[in-house]
Amino acid sequence: MRDKDLYKQILGIQSPWMVTEVELSMTAGEVTVHVEHDSEVRPTCSHCGAPCPGYDQRSRTWRHLDTCQFKTLIVAAVPRVTCPTHGVVTVTVPWAEPGAGCTALYEALVLDWLKEASIQAVARQLSLSWNAIAGIMQRAVTRGLARRQVASPTRIGVDETSFRKGHDYVTVVTDQKKGHVLHVAEERTTSSLASYYDTLTEGQKAELESIAMDMWPAYIKATLDQIPEAERKIAFDKFHVAKYLGGAVDQVRKQEHKALMGEGCDDLKGTKYDWLTNLRNLSRKRQCTFKALRASTLKTARAWAIKTLGMQLWHYVSRTWAEKGWKQWYAWAIRSRLAPIKKVARTLKKHLGGIRNAIVLQASNGASESMNSRIQGLKVRSRGFRNKGRYIQAIYFHFGGLDLYPEGVRGSMTHST
Ligand SMILES: [Zn+2]
């Protein structure tokens, strides 16, 4: 008798449900708690809440949090009712979501573990099947996406992230202010990004202030197609421009290093990193040698100076000044007689509108960039994903800022791990 009361308390079982029996199997290390619906109380339809005549009962089992290190199961005969409006309906139980094989609290425990470890690891730890854990994760993401408030992000970033080696990508849209992933789509095509815009209302599309991206034609096209005033909103951000210019500096260095070595001069040997990194990242000693290199008449030093000045354009906040600064910079770059620099300068000129937008709107794809590395980190920790669907789901699970917990466990989590 005392066991029943204890488990009633532990499980939070309330009328019309009651604990009828608690079975302890020492050999199996299991506690089975039998729960029944009060036969005096008419069960209610789970759709409309109307008390209805019973139809039949079905026995179901749920895994619950361990009690005193015993694996704990809830077993209940769940009534089905005949509702005049909804027909034959299974009554909902307060401890689990419909169709779930574990209680809501147990699911919450699994979700907490999943935030820290892979599906395989969680399955092993909790002695459940891979499919059971993957199912809990999948339901949580579906639940979280359904619950998500229709947010109106104003500053978004679009980036591609690789799924497998080679040209296999997914497109990730990030809320630049909140740092959450808003949308994940397969490939990196026009329709990948269009599938995100399709989820927005016309009003929300108009409310977008900036869309930071790489100079990737498919993303540009999707945005021009669907977003009003896209020409003023598309922003080719600093990080991507820096990447292009950095690439050009590196090409100049490689060519020059080869030529110098031919003449028996190894001035550029081992300096690759110096030219590409932020000055602050260099040691005091390296800074000194690098200072001398920068001041030299080397072509690489010239390329580096052009890159550095180009990046300083981001300090301008007015369109006019950004314009003037740009013109001067472009003239210098194009007269530099450095082919890789000239090539990048022409690419940038072609995309000048978007670069100016990025400067004036102070739009940066920094949130997308850091999201990209977090996603790649997740991929390494998870040792890859079985398929793209799982990959996309994991991105939403970890980075979607979603409310993942089952109903009844939300807000006031009653367990702690
Ligand atoms: Zn009903």
Side-chain angles (χ1 to χ4, degrees):
M1 192 64 203
R2 270 170 54 211
D3 287 356
K4 284 192 243 171
D5 273 347
L6 181 64
Y7 274 91
K8 184 172 171 276
Q9 299 291 333
I10 290 174
L11 303 175
I13 302 290
Q14 286 176 348
S15 173
W17 298 92
M18 45 197 195
V19 176
T20 53
E21 198 192 340
V22 178
E23 226 180 306
L24 171 66
S25 162
M26 292 299 281
T27 43
E30 260 179 32
V31 180
T32 308
V33 184
H34 294 269
V35 178
E36 262 177 36
H37 193 279
D38 189 343
S39 55
E40 309 279 300
V41 181
R42 266 196 159 190
T44 53
C45 167
S46 53
H47 297 304
C48 62
C52 302
Y55 178 75
D56 64 359
Q57 296 193 332
R58 291 181 164 195
S59 180
R60 298 260 330 263
T61 304
W62 295 265
R63 173 84 184 259
H64 188 59
L65 300 177
D66 293 359
T67 41
C68 304
Q69 286 150 47
F70 283 97
K71 181 175 173 183
T72 304
L73 301 167
I74 298 181
V75 175
V78 181
R80 293 201 296 172
V81 295
T82 320
C83 171
T85 322
H86 299 101
V88 176
V89 174
T90 306
V91 166
T92 47
V93 297
W95 54 84
E97 297 221 320
C102 12
T103 65
L105 278 173
Y106 195 83
E107 274 199 46
L109 171 77
V110 171
L111 295 177
D112 285 346
W113 271 104
L114 278 172
K115 284 178 192 158
E116 311 291 334
S118 68
I119 295 180
Q120 292 94 307
V122 178
R124 204 166 43 234
Q125 177 71 24
L126 299 176
S127 330
L128 276 170
S129 70
W130 190 94
N131 283 328
I133 300 293
I136 289 173
M137 186 173 182
Q138 189 166 8
R139 272 211 310 282
V141 170
T142 309
R143 191 188 292 138
L145 287 174
R147 274 178 193 160
R148 190 163 62 164
Q149 301 288 324
V150 185
S152 281
T154 51
R155 289 174 167 248
I156 61 168
V158 190
D159 209 355
E160 64 192 31
T161 192
S162 73
F163 171 54
R164 288 205 186 102
K165 278 218 172 77
H167 296 283
D168 201 358
Y169 293 93
V170 296
T171 294
V172 179
V173 181
T174 311
D175 184 324
Q176 301 291 88
K177 277 187 182 162
K178 292 184 184 149
H180 292 161
V181 166
L182 293 165
H183 191 79
V184 192
E186 295 202 14
E187 316 300 332
R188 46 170 181 172
T189 61
T190 302
S191 51
S192 311
L193 181 53
S195 72
Y196 169 65
Y197 292 144
D198 288 340
T199 68
L200 303 177
T201 63
E202 290 309 311
Q204 287 174 323
K205 287 180 191 172
E207 272 170 41
L208 285 176
E209 288 167 9
S210 65
I211 303 149
M213 60 177 76
D214 193 1
M215 298 163 207
W216 179 243
Y219 293 162
I220 298 172
K221 184 176 183 318
T223 308
L224 289 173
D225 284 350
Q226 288 212 45
I227 305 301
E229 294 187 77
E231 296 80 4
R232 295 182 68 84
K233 296 175 178 176
I234 292 177
F236 301 124
D237 76 297
K238 199 176 171 174
F239 291 92
H240 285 114
V241 174
K243 204 164 73 187
Y244 283 106
L245 284 169
V249 173
D250 199 44
Q251 266 181 293
V252 172
R253 179 197 57 82
K254 262 191 232 161
Q255 288 164 5
E256 191 172 34
H257 178 49
K258 207 171 157 195
L260 286 177
M261 289 299 275
E263 294 162 17
C265 165
D266 65 353
D267 280 3
L268 282 171
K269 198 175 168 199
T271 65
K272 176 177 176 169
Y273 181 68
D274 298 349
W275 301 105
L276 294 179
T277 190
N278 198 308
L279 275 180
R280 280 185 303 247
N281 297 341
L282 296 179
S283 69
R284 200 46 74 76
K285 198 174 159 218
R286 288 267 9 134
Q287 280 191 24
C288 267
T289 25
F290 186 53
K291 205 173 171 187
L293 271 178
R294 263 159 44 208
S296 71
T297 53
L298 288 169
K299 286 178 184 172
T300 312
R302 191 143 39 92
W304 183 88
I306 293 171
K307 180 203 163 184
T308 306
L309 186 73
M311 297 323 292
Q312 278 168 7
L313 292 176
W314 260 266
H315 295 311
Y316 293 118
V317 283
S318 98
R319 263 180 209 269
T320 331
W321 278 102
E323 189 94 14
K324 277 188 189 165
W326 159 262
K327 274 187 183 151
Q328 281 176 3
W329 180 84
Y330 182 76
W332 188 25
I334 229 63
R335 283 198 314 262
S336 68
R337 283 167 305 176
L338 302 168
I341 289 284
K342 282 160 74 178
K343 190 171 166 228
V344 175
R346 287 199 192 94
T347 306
L348 298 184
K349 191 184 183 189
K350 208 175 122 199
H351 294 95
L352 186 58
I355 293 175
R356 220 160 28 202
N357 289 342
I359 294 173
V360 177
L361 295 167
Q362 301 275 298
S364 140
N365 214 5
S368 288
E369 292 288 307
S370 76
M371 184 57 73
N372 200 338
S373 52
R374 285 163 77 195
I375 291 171
Q376 291 306 316
L378 171 70
K379 211 168 75 179
V380 171
R381 280 204 309 283
S382 312
R383 300 206 202 104
F385 291 91
R386 289 192 179 184
N387 55 49
K388 235 184 219 177
R390 292 273 171 219
Y391 185 42
I392 291 175
Q393 186 183 294
I395 295 173
Y396 277 126
F397 183 87
H398 290 278
F399 308 118
L402 300 175
D403 175 7
L404 298 163
Y405 292 111
E407 204 66 45
V409 193
R410 293 169 72 189
S412 59
M413 287 291 296
T414 47
H415 82 284
S416 57
T417 47

